[in-house]
Amino acid sequence: MIELSKYKSETRPDWCPGCGDFGVLNSLVQAVSNLNIDPKDLLVVSGIGCSSNLPGFIHAYGFHSLHGRALPIATGARLANPDLKIVVTGGDGDGYGIGLGHFVHAMRRNLDLTYIVMNNQIYGLTTGQASPTSSKGFATKSTPTGVIEEPINPIALALISGATFVARGFSGDPKHLTDLIEKGITHKGFSLIDVFSPCVTWNKINTYDYFRQKCLKINGPEYDTSNFDQAFVKSREMEPKIPIGLFYETQRPTYEDQDPALKAGNPVKAKLGPPDTKRLLQEFY
Ligand SMILES: Cc1ncc(C[n+]2csc(CCOP(=O)(O)OP(=O)(O)O)c2C)c(N)n1
Ligand code: SF4
Ligand SMILES: [Mg+2]
């Protein structure tokens, strides 16, 4: 286990006191420490939002990118250096709104990425507009008479899009969340960990108390995490309780395993020098 202090950033989190994202950061740090992942071997990529500020608050490689574009950046990093552990972090607006297309494509490709979405069901950074996971009827700054649309179900969407590890946690239960993050990072392939991470400033409905009463852990011998159909049924449960835990895990080849360009080895470790023009020309004969 690597000491927790090794991941301590010089930048202190600028989140509101009590923000759920603190619990996610702590769980992530605990998970990488438990897994002995040295900061030099870890890259944390994000988009834009309160939650997307996270890479600044952990001592590792970091990339705070553009709104909704964390997954394409992480894809590039993954293909450039398949030896890195890559964790992608962001919010529900970032990943399930503007970045939704990238989310679906990353899952069908089964890139070896761990995607942690701090789902507070609101746009926190921009001061409280409805997000794609805001509940129907929720009155926000942008929906004063209540949200009209049905919310996105990220768990169901991940399952049908080909994610090979699909889980949901709650930032108010850091031990459980740490375990899910550890399993997600260890899993080879695309891992989604959707996390209920309350925004204490702009969402007065989906609070810590609300989730403490509402969440129920998936467990018991009757639940088989390799059973896709059972996971899909579970993903649609919202009443009377919302399941948290590991919904589904399976193995299939990753994009990196199949990419012909990577057969020659890790690109960042390739020898630099003039191109082998003879070999390149031979390809055209
Ligand atoms: C292209 C683009 N569109 C819109 C914005 C404005 N913007 C910044 S963060 C954000 C939403 C943040 O919500 P979420 O991803 O849920 O993160 P949270 O702040 O809730 O953690 C928006 C709309 C932007 N920065 N860039
Ligand atoms: S506005 Fe909400 S999401 Fe943003 S830091 Fe504050 S509590 Fe967290
Ligand atoms: Mg949000």
Side-chain angles (χ1 to χ4, degrees):
M1 181 173 153
I2 295 178
E3 271 175 57
L4 294 176
S5 58
K6 262 200 114 174
Y7 306 94
K8 200 169 161 44
S9 163
E10 284 173 20
T11 311
R12 303 270 299 272
D14 57 356
W15 294 316
C16 307
C19 175
D21 299 351
F22 283 101
V24 179
L25 174 65
N26 291 340
S27 295
L28 172 61
V29 167
Q30 187 66 60
V32 290
S33 155
N34 292 350
L35 292 171
N36 277 313
I37 301 173
D38 195 279
K40 73 168 175 43
D41 300 322
L42 175 66
L43 169 68
V44 187
V45 184
S46 71
I48 296 291
C50 295
S51 41
S52 289
N53 290 346
L54 190 144
F57 311 142
I58 179 169
H59 178 67
Y61 286 107
F63 198 134
H64 190 181
S65 74
L66 297 172
H67 195 32
R69 306 294 178 246
L71 285 169
I73 303 283
T75 301
R78 179 90 243 130
L79 299 182
N81 185 358
D83 291 338
L84 273 179
K85 284 282 177 204
I86 304 182
V87 174
V88 187
T89 62
D92 41 314
D94 194 70
Y96 305 148
I98 190 169
L100 187 78
H102 301 304
F103 179 50
V104 171
H105 289 299
M107 292 189 287
R108 79 183 173 87
R109 289 176 184 141
N110 196 31
L111 289 144
D112 188 10
L113 299 171
T114 305
Y115 189 26
I116 303 173
V117 180
M118 285 157 264
N119 182 358
N120 53 16
Q121 298 166 264
I122 196 97
Y123 288 178
L125 187 75
T126 47
T127 70
Q129 297 81 15
S131 87
T133 51
S134 295
S135 305
K136 189 164 183 187
F138 183 23
T140 71
K141 266 193 184 171
S142 58
T143 58
T145 55
V147 170
I148 295 169
E149 307 106 310
E150 288 296 329
I152 281 194
N153 179 334
I155 303 294
L157 184 61
L159 287 168
I160 58 158
S161 303
T164 48
F165 181 103
V166 182
R168 178 158 56 206
F170 167 40
S171 72
D173 190 343
K175 236 180 123 194
H176 181 246
L177 180 58
T178 302
D179 182 55
L180 290 178
I181 297 176
E182 264 186 66
K183 288 192 171 113
I185 293 177
T186 309
H187 172 82
K188 191 164 180 251
F190 192 97
S191 310
L192 170 72
I193 305 162
D194 179 78
V195 185
F196 290 134
S197 180
C199 170
V200 294
T201 303
W202 300 108
N203 188 338
K204 305 291 185 192
I205 307 286
N206 307 108
T207 61
Y208 287 98
D209 279 348
Y210 170 85
F211 288 117
R212 272 191 201 108
Q213 283 166 26
K214 199 87 184 149
C215 292
L216 185 68
K217 284 184 191 138
I218 302 170
N219 54 22
E222 73 286 355
Y223 193 84
D224 173 6
T225 53
S226 68
N227 183 330
F228 181 91
D229 293 338
Q230 194 182 26
F232 195 72
V233 170
K234 198 63 150 176
S235 74
R236 300 191 64 224
E237 275 178 26
M238 288 291 159
E239 296 295 341
K241 297 281 184 186
I242 306 177
I244 60 169
L246 178 59
F247 285 77
Y248 182 63
E249 184 170 16
T250 191
Q251 291 295 335
R252 66 181 170 88
T254 62
Y255 187 92
E256 303 88 296
D257 285 341
Q258 301 169 86
D259 181 357
L262 292 179
K263 298 267 186 276
N266 185 335
V268 295
K269 292 184 181 158
K271 251 173 111 188
L272 292 177
D276 182 355
T277 41
K278 212 169 157 194
R279 185 183 61 78
L280 286 174
L281 285 172
Q282 263 166 4
E283 284 182 20
F284 293 99
Y285 291 152

